[in-house]
Amino acid sequence: MRSLLFVPADSEKKIAKAMSVGADCLILDLEDSVAPARKAAARPMAAAFLRAARDRPNRPKLYVRINALDTAEWPADLDAVMPARPDGIMHPKPRGAEDVDRLAIALDHAEAKHGIPTAATRIIAIATEVPMAVLTLPTYLEASSRLEGLTWGAEDLSALMGSSATREAGGGWTSPYRLARDLCLFTAMAAGRQPIDTVYVDFRNTEGLAEECRLAARDGFTGKMAIHPDQVATINAAFTPTSAEITWAHEIIALFRDNPGAGALSLRGQMIDRPHAVRADRILIRAKLAGL
Ligand code: COA
Ligand code: MG
């Protein structure tokens, strides 16, 4: 999933638009983009959307962001949306994998109740929204097999940290938030889950978004969350391998196929060995996922 677009679930207008914007995943939001007084109205709207969207051909993945596990809201969120069979749940503000495992148990029960195959419902955790969570990231190495991906958040984290800014004047992350980002990336890769970059809130700034996507893709993230439909095309483009990358990958795979006994090889004056083959495989997997 390259682009994951948040859609506030209490907004008729945004829900109506969501399916047509080309996102690989929609995240129906019941959490921070929905005011407390609107949560009860948002739940059936999210469920109705899921029911209508589920059977559409070539549809995006459909996730729901529920409220955090330390609120009174999340059980009602799950009760409302699980009968409509979302592909996954986005888990905000977990303190570590223990919270994700608690959510997984609640999903076990909901799936049994609604005749959904066990563990069909995936989880993406926003793994750095509270200070404690940055310190417990290694717990995700043992997390529930439902865990599809890890992403990170700077907004809630910075509020709790008391930071007055998360970005330098030039736009780059300040040190604490770069640490959270980078540890999220390492943890996701070590745990074998998708690393997903956080939202870019300056949503009219297309150039700034493109640059942030470029840096994320360069470092190994394979997708990014979006808050506005106009961000989706930029994100999809940035996380789709280029034709030059795909050509290179085919060349590397062919080189190793034609030289089965070889360790190190040479290509246009560059040394090529095992890590290049691993990189080439990854590029071709991402190209296939992007429909190329
Ligand atoms: N999903 C689907 N549609 C959206 C959308 C979203 N996240 N954000 C905007 N749209 C729609 C608008 O309804 C509007 O539709 P229209 O063409 O039918 O009029 C169109 O896209 C253009 O929207 P625009 O007027 O540019 O933005 P806005 O001022 O209405 O909204 C935000 C700006 C930031 C409030 C809005 O994009 C939003 O709610 N984003 C999601 C916020 C969120 O989920 N935050 C939590 C995660 S951090
Ligand atoms: Mg939040």
Side-chain angles (χ1 to χ4, degrees), residues 20 24 47 54 56 63 78 84 112 128 145 179 189 192 209 229 239 250 281 286:
S20 66
D24 289 346
R54 262 204 75 85
R56 298 260 287 273
Y63 274 61
L78 282 190
T128 70
S145 61
L179 179 75
M189 295 316 290
L209 173 66
F239 292 98
H250 282 302
D281 279 337
R286 280 173 47 227

Side-chain angles (χ1 to χ4, degrees), residues 73-87:
E73 307 283 351
W74 72 275
D77 296 340
L78 282 190
D79 286 348
V81 300
M82 285 305 290
R85 304 181 172 217
D87 294 308

Side-chain angles (χ1 to χ4, degrees), residues 82-259:
M82 285 305 290
R85 304 181 172 217
D87 294 308
I89 299 295
M90 179 162 273
H91 186 169
K93 304 179 180 71
R95 288 162 300 183
E98 225 174 279
D99 279 348
V100 172
D101 291 343
R102 269 176 70 210
L103 172 59
I105 290 168
L107 293 178
D108 288 342
H109 292 299
E111 286 170 344
K113 185 170 165 192
H114 300 296
I116 301 168
T118 310
T121 317
R122 313 292 296 163
I123 297 174
I124 294 175
I126 315 181
T128 70
E129 288 196 300
V130 298
M132 152 93 84
V134 179
L135 303 179
T136 62
L137 280 168
T139 60
Y140 286 100
L141 300 182
E142 308 287 334
S144 160
S145 61
R146 291 177 186 271
L147 190 66
E148 180 75 27
L150 285 181
T151 185
W152 68 286
E155 302 303 317
D156 290 277
L157 183 61
S158 62
L160 293 172
M161 293 290 286
S163 309
S164 60
T166 57
R167 293 189 185 262
E168 306 288 0
W173 295 107
T174 60
S175 168
Y177 303 95
R178 208 160 52 231
L179 179 75
R181 169 195 185 271
D182 294 355
L183 287 176
C184 171
L185 176 61
F186 275 111
T187 307
M189 295 316 290
R193 323 295 168 137
Q194 186 186 358
I196 301 164
D197 197 19
T198 194
V199 293
Y200 187 76
V201 295
D202 186 7
F203 62 88
R204 305 276 183 222
N205 181 358
T206 310
E207 270 173 34
L209 173 66
E211 177 60 4
E212 188 156 285
C213 289
R214 187 185 70 76
L215 298 177
R218 178 200 66 186
D219 290 350
F221 285 99
T222 54
K224 186 172 177 71
M225 297 188 291
I227 52 166
H228 190 283
D230 290 353
Q231 296 185 316
V232 169
T234 304
I235 293 174
N236 283 349
F239 292 98
T240 304
T242 62
S243 56
E245 287 174 313
I246 294 169
T247 304
W248 176 85
H250 282 302
E251 215 171 355
I252 298 298
I253 306 262
L255 195 62
F256 279 98
R257 191 191 50 224
D258 297 344
N259 297 278

Side-chain angles (χ1 to χ4, degrees), residues 5-9 11-19 21 26-27 29 31-34 65 126 129 155-156 198-199 201 203-204 225-230:
L5 175 65
F6 278 109
V7 184
S11 167
E12 287 284 4
K13 224 176 122 180
K14 290 170 190 166
I15 281 184
K17 184 153 184 125
M19 288 292 274
V21 305
L26 300 176
I27 307 159
D29 191 23
E31 201 219 11
D32 284 349
S33 74
V34 179
R65 182 166 73 170
I126 315 181
E129 288 196 300
E155 302 303 317
D156 290 277
T198 194
V199 293
V201 295
F203 62 88
R204 305 276 183 222
M225 297 188 291
I227 52 166
H228 190 283
D230 290 353

